[in-house]
Each structure stands twice: as C-alpha cells, then as structure tokens.
C-alpha cells in the first residue's frame, strides 16, 4: 500500500485508500459478495498458497474492507492494515498473532474492561499470562514486569474509561529494550489527535465502533502495522513470523512479505482464516462515511469535552474530574506532549456521595442518554462500576482507575451550552 504521508490528516480522512479510475464510482463500491470467480483452479490455487494477491473468499479479505483499511493505514502512518469485526477482535488478533500458549504479555492496567477480561481471563485459559502494570509505574516497576517469554507490551493512548494517558515513548523504549513490540489501542484520540507510531508504537489497534464510525452505526475494529519492528532481529521470540508456516506450504512471513507486510499478512491468512472475525463490507462502507468527517468532528468533541471538564471542576457537587487536557489533571503534561490538539470528548467525574448520587445524576439527565457506548455524535453516559466493569473486584476497579461514584460522559456534537445546561440541571436535582 503506497501512501502519501505528506498529505494533511484531513485530506487523508477524505481521500486515502480509494482512488477511482476513469468512469469508476466516486464513492467506494460495496462488494457485497462472499466469493470471487476464477477462470481456472490453478489461478485460484496460487491465492491459497499466498503466491498471488487477490480475493477468493470474504472471510479473509474483501475489496471494500481493504479500501477502508488502506485509509486507516494512511491515517496512522503504517505500512499495512486490516479491518476486524470489532475492536475486541482487533486487540485479540494483535496479541495472538505474536503471542501463543506459553507466552507472556505486559499490559497497562488502565485499559478497556473488555480488553482486561480478554487478557486476564480468556487468554489466560489459552496459556497466555499477562502482567498488568500501572501506566504511571516507575521505570523499575515496568522493567520488573518483563519475563524471558514476554512477547509484547500493550496499552491505550487514552485509557477507557480511566482517561490515563500512556507515556508511549517510555513504554516503547522499554518494549524495544526487551526485543518486543508495543501495541497501542488508539481508539480514543484517533489518528486525528495522536499517531502512536510517531512515538515508537509498532502496532496500533482501534475499536472503529467509536469515533471513527462516530454515529453509533457499525461495530468494527482495525489493526495497523508500523512496519518498524524487525521480527528477524528477534527471530527466536517470534517463530510464527520467522519460521515456516506448514499450513501454507512452509512460507516464512517475515521473509516473503518483509518487515512491513508480515504481521498483517499472517493475521489475515491464519487468524482471519481460522477465527473468521471479518468486518462486513457494508459496515466498512459505513465506517468510511464516518472517517470522511473524522477530522471535522474530533475538534467539536474535544471542545465540548473541555467545556464540560471546566464546568465540572468548578461544581460543588463534583469531587473530581478526569480530563487529560484540563490544566491540573494528573495527565496534563503527558496530554500536552501526546495530545497537543486535544484528546477526546470523554470526561470522567466523581460526584460527592458516591454510587447513589451517581445513579441519581444519571437518572436526571435529559439530553445525555444512558448507553453502553462512547464516542458517538450524541452525548451518552455510563456508570462503569455497575455496567462495563461490573466483573471486576474493587481492587481491580481501583487499579483500572474506576471509582464507584464515577460517571463516564462522552460529549457528542451538540451545542456546548445545551450540553452544559443538561448536566447542570441533573447535578442540581441530585
Ligand atoms: C470499545 C473499545 C474496545 C472494544 O471495541 P468493540 O468494537 O466494542 O469490540 C477496545 N478498546 C477500547 C479503547 C474501546 O473503547
């Protein structure tokens, strides 16, 4: 995928990934077909052997998905990318592609509840152990988390819902010192506000369900490879990429597809083949519509987030506010470094009176709807302790930065004054 990285982020949002030829459709075609026709069996056989490039079955690849993956690849500044059926699938694939039974992961403890469950419980059952470290841990603590069988480090640029900012530079250096890649889930800031690859991340993942779609339309995910990690230099750690794959007649991914293509080709040809978590072409089309305005929407989400954070930080019924771009926030310095143009529209705050008051505030909101969602055009809110994070013990909750009285409010694209007056009247009533 040749990308023009000199273009502005907005131009890439609108135009990257698909360039129609003369007389071809202006909007990306939805290739609503499960399969593709070939003239000879031998021609199709070459695809099965990964000797030729092309489409043969939509469980592995579809042109519509590839146009959109190409756009996300250009936005993040990567060398290859793929879409998945969900953000969960993206994070699972990104880890499992290089970390199998007997492997070990170092992960930030401040991550999305679903990713925490995936690593702490489901992947543990597959024989993959995870050591969680606070994103604020000391260099010594981070160092101590690594083991000889560590295969990757994982964190979120802005953690959902704790809103901790990952020191990407520091985590990347630690990962690289141990010969493993850093995987960063960049869902919240999107590449409009932060491009983790520029700070040393090797693999970037997304729940495209959030801002990228942005309209609450389609669940989806994406994985982008920076092409910067030298698998061959650490061949003993990553045999899946550096030794023959018997399910493809002995192909060695890192040799055949190079540093820039090996990771995504392996994830597509093994994991998509076997797990089948493909995004539907129809969803990819919706996702692309969202991406076309991502650079226009993000500043408004951020402006609303900042206005709400400022309002809440001066409110007597509010104990604490987390918003990385708010001066005085614990993560303000990291936000200045990694998110100088804004982070996201999500604000977390704790009301005085804990869980009970939080529930009353939620019930009194009119414009802000209670939803298990964030990053939508419409403002929505959630009480994590009783919903997304309810499987966690109190200790795990605190480690993930989730207090019982915390409300996560995702500012949409409404007029700022309407949003503020809704929150004001809800706090007044509670
Ligand atoms: C929502 C979310 C996910 C999971 O994505 P789905 O599309 O819901 O599967 C992963 N990471 C982060 C940061 C998220 O916000």
């Amino acid at each position: 995928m040749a990308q023009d990285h000199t273009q502005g982020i907005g131009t890439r949002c609108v135009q990257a990934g698909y360039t129609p030829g003369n007389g071809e459709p202006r909007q990306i075609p939805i290739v609503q077909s499960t399969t593709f026709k070939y003239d000879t069996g031998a021609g199709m056989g070459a695809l099965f052997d990964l000797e030729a490039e092309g489409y043969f079955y939509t469980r592995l690849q579809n042109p519509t998905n590839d146009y959109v993956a190409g756009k996300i690849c250009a936005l993040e500044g990567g060398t290859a990318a793929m879409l998945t059926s969900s953000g969960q699938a993206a994070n699972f694939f990104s880890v499992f592609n290089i970390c199998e039974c007997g492997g070990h992961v170092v992960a930030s403890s401040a991550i999305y509840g679903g990713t925490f469950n995936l690593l702490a419980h489901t992947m543990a059952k597959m024989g993959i152990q995870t050591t969680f470290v606070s994103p604020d841990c000391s260099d010594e603590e981070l160092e101590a988390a690594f083991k000889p069988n560590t295969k990757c480090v994982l964190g979120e640029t802005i953690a959902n819902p704790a809103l901790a900012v990952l020191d990407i530079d520091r985590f990347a250096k630690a990962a690289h010192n141990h010969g493993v890649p850093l995987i960063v889930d960049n869902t919240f800031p999107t590449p409009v506000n932060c491009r983790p690859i520029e700070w040393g991340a090797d693999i970037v993942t997304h729940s495209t369900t959030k801002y990228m779609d942005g309209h609450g339309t389609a669940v989806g995910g994406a994985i982008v490879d920076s092409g910067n990690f030298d698998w061959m230099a650490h061949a003993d750690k990553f045999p899946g990429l550096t030794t023959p794959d018997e399910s493809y007649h002995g192909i060695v991914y890192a040799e055949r597809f190079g540093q820039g293509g090996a990771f995504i080709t392996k994830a597509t040809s093994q994991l998509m083949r076997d797990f089948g978590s493909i995004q539907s072409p129809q969803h990819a089309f919706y996702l692309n519509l969202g991406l076309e305005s991502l650079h226009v929407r993000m500043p408004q989400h951020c402006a609303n987030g900042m206005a709400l954070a400022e309002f809440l930080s001066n409110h007597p019924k509010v104990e604490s506010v987390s918003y990385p771009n708010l001066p005085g926030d614990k993560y303000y310095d990291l936000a200045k470094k990694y998110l100088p143009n804004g982070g996201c529209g999500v604000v977390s705050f704790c009301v005085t009176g804990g869980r009970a008051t939080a529930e009353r505030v939620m019930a009194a909101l009119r414009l802000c709807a209670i939803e298990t969602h964030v990053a939508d055009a419409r403002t929505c809110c959630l009480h994590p302790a009783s919903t997304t994070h309810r499987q966690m013990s109190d200790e795990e909750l605190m480690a993930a930065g989730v207090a019982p009285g915390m409300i996560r409010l995702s500012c949409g694209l409404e007029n700022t004054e309407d949003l503020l007056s809704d929150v004001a009247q809800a706090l007044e009533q509670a």
Side-chain angles (χ1 to χ4, degrees), residues 86-89 91 112 115 156 158 160 185 187-188 207-210 219-220 374:
S86 66
Q88 285 299 107
N91 282 322
Y112 178 64
T115 311
E156 292 176 8
I158 305 177
N160 175 9
D185 181 332
T187 297
F188 266 23
S207 166
T208 63
T209 317
K210 311 296 163 54
V219 171
V374 283

Side-chain angles (χ1 to χ4, degrees), residues 89-98 154 183 203 205 223 263 271:
N91 282 322
F92 173 58
F93 278 19
S94 71
V95 174
F96 196 64
N97 203 33
I98 46 174
L154 183 145
I183 301 170
I203 308 290
T205 61
I223 309 173
F263 187 91
L271 304 186

Side-chain angles (χ1 to χ4, degrees), residues 68-380:
V68 182
K71 175 173 286 185
I72 295 172
C73 189
L75 289 171
E76 289 289 4
T79 55
M82 68 197 285
L83 299 188
T84 57
S85 56
S86 66
Q88 285 299 107
N91 282 322
F92 173 58
F93 278 19
S94 71
V95 174
F96 196 64
N97 203 33
I98 46 174
C99 185
E100 299 174 0
C101 181
H104 173 257
V105 179
V106 175
S108 163
S109 58
I111 50 174
Y112 178 64
T115 311
F116 176 85
N117 284 333
L118 171 70
L119 290 167
H121 303 297
T122 300
M123 292 188 83
K125 288 181 201 156
M126 303 168 90
I128 294 163
Q129 298 302 321
T130 298
T131 300
F132 292 97
V133 294
S134 163
D136 319 324
C137 69
S138 67
D139 288 343
E140 293 70 30
E141 285 166 323
L142 181 54
E143 198 57 30
F146 286 87
K147 298 181 182 195
N149 58 337
T150 301
K151 305 293 182 182
C152 61
V153 178
L154 183 145
E156 292 176 8
T157 315
I158 305 177
N160 175 9
L163 303 180
V165 178
L166 187 74
D167 193 343
I168 302 172
D169 194 16
R170 184 164 78 95
F171 275 67
K173 281 183 180 130
H176 297 160
N177 282 341
H178 288 270
V180 301
L182 173 65
I183 301 170
V184 173
D185 181 332
N186 195 35
T187 297
F188 266 23
T190 83
V192 169
N193 283 338
C194 180
R195 289 170 298 282
I197 290 172
E198 293 173 2
W199 298 101
D202 301 284
I203 308 290
V204 175
T205 61
H206 282 280
S207 166
T208 63
T209 317
K210 311 296 163 54
Y211 290 113
M212 282 190 168
D213 169 313
H215 299 78
T217 307
V219 171
I223 309 173
V224 182
D225 181 9
S226 68
N228 291 334
F229 196 83
D230 187 350
W231 308 106
M232 277 306 193
H234 308 283
D236 53 323
K237 276 191 194 289
F238 305 104
L241 285 159
T242 60
T243 62
D245 177 1
E246 294 315 327
S247 70
Y248 283 106
H249 304 300
I251 255 183
V252 177
Y253 291 98
E255 279 172 0
R256 177 72 73 85
F257 303 101
Q259 201 171 301
F263 187 91
I264 294 295
T265 306
K266 177 179 182 287
T268 302
S269 50
Q270 286 180 349
L271 304 186
M272 220 32 123
R273 179 194 63 186
D274 299 346
F275 291 103
S277 312
I278 195 77
Q279 188 167 136
S280 96
Q282 187 81 40
H283 279 189
F285 179 84
Y286 295 139
L287 170 57
N288 185 59
L289 288 181
L291 288 168
E292 286 182 2
S293 63
L294 185 63
H295 60 300
V296 181
R297 290 183 287 110
M298 285 312 288
Q300 178 67 13
H301 283 294
C302 293
N304 277 346
M306 186 56 120
L308 181 69
E310 280 169 350
F311 168 77
L312 290 170
S313 66
N314 293 314
H315 199 287
K317 286 189 183 168
V318 175
E319 236 165 43
S320 63
V321 182
S322 294
Y323 190 71
N325 292 85
L326 184 71
D329 188 271
K330 185 177 172 191
Y331 296 100
Y332 183 68
D333 289 339
L334 287 173
K336 258 190 9 197
K337 174 173 177 183
Y338 294 107
L339 309 158
N341 301 322
C344 64
V346 183
V347 181
S348 293
F349 62 101
C350 284
V351 287
T352 53
R355 183 183 289 262
T357 315
E359 279 168 5
R360 284 201 302 276
V361 171
M362 300 275 294
L365 290 165
R366 295 186 194 126
L367 198 61
C368 312
I370 299 174
E371 289 169 25
T372 304
H373 196 35
V374 283
D376 188 17
R378 289 141 293 208
T379 295
C380 53

